[in-house]
Amino acid sequence: MRAQSNFRTQDNDRLWAPLEESLADEQIAEGVQRGDEACLEAAYRRWGHLVHTLAYRSLGDTREAEDVTQQVFLAVWRGRAGYHRERGAFAGWIVGITRRKVADALTARTRRADLVSAAERTLSLRPQTTDDMARKVLDQVVVWHELAQLPTAQRRVLELAFYGDLTHTQIAAVTGWPLGTVKSHSRRGLNRLRLRLGEAGTD
């Protein structure tokens, strides 16, 4: 969430008050629906802790909870036209989005665990020697090193794909980049990574 301070003057003789403290929930909701970024930040300040707490209770991981919190308020912003006051409070709508994002995170976690289990079953078919284990660790170090050499945008996309197990569409949602830009960074990053790893393998 972009950090900035939003203040409103009461009068010339009073200190300014933070926007989120001066608006009712309904006013924040109306502002978000109008596309007012200051109201989105006010919503984040008012309900961000609640969203993070709900996510952490389900996921048990601070980093994942932070990622979900960002995804929730991105979804609030992009889906603001889908909020209807007559169907319930704005906070309740945000909580509903939170539950869906937490469910997505749990599904992704399960998918990663399944992939790891499958890989472990494959590896367990033959005994690993000390050299095998050392080579595996070395390969991981090499990949990490080569990823770090990529341009920031390409590295970000590949890290989200490799270690976050995200699709191009999900990466676009997390980063805020157009889908075409994400695919371009992915393609260029992979090509560059293959080239660098190929060069490393010939050393």
Side-chain angles (χ1 to χ4, degrees):
M1 182 66 59
R2 180 171 55 86
Q4 71 175 42
S5 296
N6 294 286
F7 296 96
R8 181 177 70 86
T9 52
Q10 299 290 335
D11 54 49
N12 292 332
D13 298 324
R14 293 186 178 183
L15 292 174
W16 288 8
L19 180 62
E20 65 271 15
E21 294 180 7
S22 64
L23 296 178
D25 292 358
E26 295 80 3
Q27 291 174 300
I28 292 178
E30 291 171 359
V32 170
Q33 285 190 297
R34 289 196 307 271
D36 187 336
E37 292 185 9
C39 286
L40 175 64
E41 183 171 348
Y44 178 81
R45 290 181 181 277
R46 181 163 298 181
W47 294 296
H49 179 70
L50 170 63
V51 170
H52 185 277
T53 298
L54 292 173
Y56 182 77
R57 285 177 180 173
S58 296
L59 300 169
D61 183 277
T62 299
R63 182 175 178 179
E64 282 189 287
E66 290 173 351
D67 288 342
V68 166
T69 300
Q70 292 181 0
Q71 291 174 30
V72 166
F73 284 93
L74 180 61
V76 166
W77 182 248
R78 291 182 171 176
R80 58 189 181 274
Y83 170 67
H84 300 284
R85 181 177 179 180
E86 64 274 10
R87 296 180 184 175
F90 193 59
W93 183 64
I94 292 176
V95 168
I97 294 175
T98 302
R99 289 172 178 163
R100 292 194 294 274
K101 293 301 180 182
V102 166
D104 289 345
L106 289 172
T107 298
R109 178 188 289 180
T110 300
R111 187 164 61 248
R112 289 195 299 271
D114 289 344
L115 289 171
V116 170
S117 296
E120 289 176 345
R121 287 194 298 272
T122 300
L123 291 173
S124 66
L125 294 177
R126 63 180 181 84
Q128 280 194 321
T129 65
T130 301
D131 287 343
D132 290 332
M133 297 175 64
R135 189 177 299 108
K136 181 179 178 181
V137 172
L138 179 60
D139 288 344
Q140 292 175 343
V141 171
V142 169
V143 171
W144 271 105
H145 174 74
E146 296 303 337
L147 273 176
Q149 310 308 310
L150 296 177
T152 301
Q154 294 175 16
R155 183 176 70 249
R156 173 67 170 157
V157 169
L158 293 184
E159 286 177 345
L160 288 172
F162 291 162
Y163 306 112
D165 194 28
L166 301 183
T167 65
H168 285 154
T169 301
Q170 291 169 331
I171 292 172
V174 170
T175 61
W177 297 335
L179 181 58
T181 299
V182 170
K183 290 181 178 180
S184 177
H185 286 320
S186 176
R187 183 176 61 256
R188 292 175 182 174
L190 283 172
N191 288 338
R192 194 163 181 171
L193 189 60
R194 289 191 190 101
L195 179 62
R196 293 186 64 87
L197 289 174
E199 292 174 347
T202 59
D203 291 342

